[in-house]
Amino acid sequence: MDIVAVIVVTVVGMGLGALWYGPLLGKAWQAETGLTDEKIADANMGLIMGTATLLELIAAIIFLFMADDGSAFNGVQVGALASMFFAIGLGINYLFERQSMKLYLINIGYMSLTFILMGVIIGFLR
């Protein structure tokens, strides 16, 4: 297993999440979820961030096995396909939960960009 690629992709995913749900779209995301600054401050952020990092690490390992030919182009293909599957599954949940389209676009935008970057980076580093 290429540990460097896995670590790089995990860090990139967490960094993108920090930007996406922070300065870029954080306030819009909070408004759509109903989370206030107070609710966020009361959360166990160590547990949340640790678990999120572990999940990013698992996703990176999965992408390592999915990007089979070791090219950045194959990585884009794998990332785009994973994004489509995730978008469909999340879309179904959002319909039944009656979540807003804005929240869906914020969340699927992050995941799509993350998955494509994961694929590209792993394809490039392999």
Side-chain angles (χ1 to χ4, degrees):
M1 182 181 316
D2 190 345
I3 193 71
V4 172
V6 168
I7 291 170
V8 168
V9 167
T10 300
V11 170
V12 167
M14 290 301 292
L16 180 60
L19 288 172
W20 196 266
Y21 291 103
L24 295 178
L25 295 167
K27 292 300 177 189
W29 173 76
Q30 276 185 256
E32 292 301 308
T33 60
L35 289 172
T36 63
D37 290 339
E38 294 78 29
K39 285 182 183 178
I40 291 173
D42 288 341
N44 183 344
M45 290 308 291
L47 178 63
I48 292 169
M49 295 302 285
T51 305
T53 302
L54 176 63
L55 293 171
E56 289 280 0
L57 182 68
I58 292 168
I61 291 167
I62 291 168
F63 269 86
L64 189 66
F65 291 110
M66 289 171 47
D68 59 355
D69 77 358
S71 71
F73 179 72
N74 177 248
V76 169
Q77 289 176 317
V78 168
L81 284 172
S83 298
M84 285 185 241
F85 281 114
F86 186 78
I88 291 166
L90 190 63
I92 292 167
N93 286 351
Y94 272 47
L95 287 170
F96 282 100
E97 293 173 359
R98 294 178 177 88
Q99 297 289 338
S100 74
M101 178 60 76
K102 186 174 183 178
L103 181 60
Y104 173 78
L105 292 174
I106 290 169
N107 288 331
I108 198 61
Y110 163 71
M111 290 310 304
S112 295
L113 186 56
T114 299
F115 286 167
I116 291 169
L117 284 174
M118 281 182 167
V120 168
I121 293 166
I122 285 177
F124 182 73
L125 292 178
R126 277 184 100 187

